[in-house]
Amino acid sequence: MLLIVTYSPHARQTLRNACRSHTESVVRRFGRAALFTETEYSAFLACRLRARHGADVQVERTRPFNEFLDVPEEIRTAATAYERRETPSTPYDKFAVGTEYPSSESMRTRKL
């Protein structure tokens, strides 16, 4: 997919217009950003936005996030257990003490 992010009011308006006019290319809109299908036509629309607004438009190529392929099982297990905790106000680090779940600090330092 292509992620298009706009940084000025004029670029946002042009992106809104493109999303309304080319709904078949839009996967999802987020206000000042939008996800477009990965097609040549979407690339054409992104290039037009860049040509018109220059640095006020950022275009990135993305790929879908698959938690079962991209995230280690221990992280998924910790997330599920934390969401099922008995006391909703317990912070994660307190919840993880004395368990096999990773600390938030160790997760912050490891790349996905």
Side-chain angles (χ1 to χ4, degrees), residues 49-99:
L49 283 163
R50 288 288 306 237
R52 176 179 262 177
H53 300 286
D56 286 342
V57 175
Q58 178 181 349
V59 181
E60 297 289 334
R61 190 177 223 169
T62 66
R63 62 183 176 91
F65 176 72
N66 183 331
E67 67 184 271
F68 299 102
L69 294 176
D70 299 334
V71 179
E73 185 175 346
E74 70 173 334
I75 305 301
R76 293 192 317 270
T77 302
T80 301
Y82 183 61
E83 281 305 308
R84 293 181 179 159
R85 68 194 180 279
E86 290 180 18
T87 310
S89 60
T90 303
Y92 178 77
D93 286 323
K94 186 175 179 182
F95 169 81
V97 169
T99 68

Side-chain angles (χ1 to χ4, degrees), residues 3-15:
L3 173 64
I4 302 172
V5 182
T6 56
Y7 296 103
S8 72
H10 294 296
R12 273 193 292 280
Q13 182 61 48
T14 305
L15 178 63

